[in-house]
Amino acid sequence: MTNGTDGLSAVSQWAVNLMEALGALGAGLAVALENLFPPLPSELILPLAGFTASQGSFTLPQVLAWTTTGSVLGALVLYGLGAWLGADRIRKLVGAVPLMNVSDADKTIEWFNRHGAKSVFFGRMIPVFRSFISIPAGVTRMPLPKFILLTTAGSFIWNAVFVYLGFILGENWSLVEQYAGFFQYLVIGSVVIAVSVFVTRRVRSIRSARSAASASITE
């Protein structure tokens, strides 16, 4: 590798070593693992794979084929986890979480049954969600051919954008990760706000219910 990989983080160096050892297959393996372990950022792995392709280690079609295959394989593992858990186990798990009700699981499953196709396709292009969206698809038993088709299409678009940016930027490939990081922080921040609003409303609802129950007892 040229000096475009000088001063790499541990994750980046791991990805470089994997691609040096296995070629484009290594990029695909890294993306598959990223689907299973979101702390491994695709926003870093994919531009790095594109830069590696620009150095002649493998071609753009090869890296796109393998990274998309890796995305689909990783998604299938999580789909299988969701199918194994099933709706009944999900309800039990949700019911055991403080401030959550079984009805929350039912509403989520009902929502996914209505919007699952769009969620799987567009979810592949949203950090964090791109991994976890496979689980409700498995829980609701989305037809496997449909799941694979949507996952392949969404993953290919996401992968192609980041791989190509890494390819054309060359040694400046790391700029992609820096700018993509803002989008990831925005998504995470939105999730934190949404969770905070949910917890606040649920706590108020519980307090109101308790106050109403206490009032009815004292009457």
Side-chain angles (χ1 to χ4, degrees):
M1 280 258 179
T2 66
N3 59 4
T5 55
D6 288 346
L8 290 177
S9 66
V11 173
S12 300
Q13 190 59 60
W14 167 78
V16 167
N17 294 339
L18 201 58
M19 285 184 275
E20 286 182 342
L22 301 176
L25 171 60
L29 179 58
V31 170
L33 292 174
E34 178 266 332
N35 271 263
L36 300 175
F37 305 102
L40 293 174
S42 63
E43 295 88 346
L44 182 152
I45 295 170
L46 293 171
L48 179 55
F51 166 65
T52 306
S54 74
Q55 302 301 296
S57 300
F58 36 75
T59 66
L60 267 180
Q62 285 177 324
V63 73
L64 286 175
W66 278 112
T67 53
T68 301
T69 299
S71 295
V72 173
L73 291 177
L76 283 171
V77 172
L78 294 176
Y79 176 96
L81 174 62
W84 175 77
L85 286 170
D88 290 339
R89 284 189 176 133
I90 289 294
R91 289 187 182 98
K92 290 179 181 178
L93 288 172
V94 170
V97 176
L99 302 180
M100 297 290 286
N101 298 322
V102 173
S103 61
D104 294 322
D106 292 332
K107 290 175 183 176
T108 302
I109 291 172
E110 181 183 349
W111 181 90
F112 193 86
N113 281 327
R114 292 199 309 268
H115 307 287
K118 291 182 288 186
S119 300
V120 170
F121 176 74
F122 290 108
R124 298 298 164 196
M125 306 173 213
I126 302 176
V128 183
F129 285 97
R130 57 192 313 272
S131 293
F132 296 116
I133 198 63
S134 301
I135 296 178
V139 171
T140 59
R141 298 300 177 97
M142 173 182 281
L144 197 55
K146 181 179 182 180
F147 174 77
I148 292 174
L149 178 62
L150 292 168
T151 298
T152 300
S155 297
F156 178 81
I157 294 172
W158 174 268
N159 294 351
V161 168
F162 282 89
V163 168
Y164 184 67
L165 286 173
F167 185 87
I168 61 174
L169 286 174
E171 294 181 1
N172 295 315
W173 64 271
S174 59
L175 292 174
V176 180
E177 181 196 4
Q178 295 176 24
Y179 285 106
F182 291 115
F183 180 44
Q184 182 169 347
Y185 293 143
L186 179 63
V187 171
I188 293 174
S190 299
V191 171
V192 170
I193 292 172
V195 170
S196 299
V197 170
F198 171 82
V199 170
T200 300
R201 288 180 175 176
R202 184 56 55 87
V203 169
R204 287 176 178 173
S205 176
I206 291 173
R207 287 177 177 173
S208 297
R210 287 176 178 173
S211 297
S214 298
S216 63
I217 292 174
T218 56
E219 289 179 356

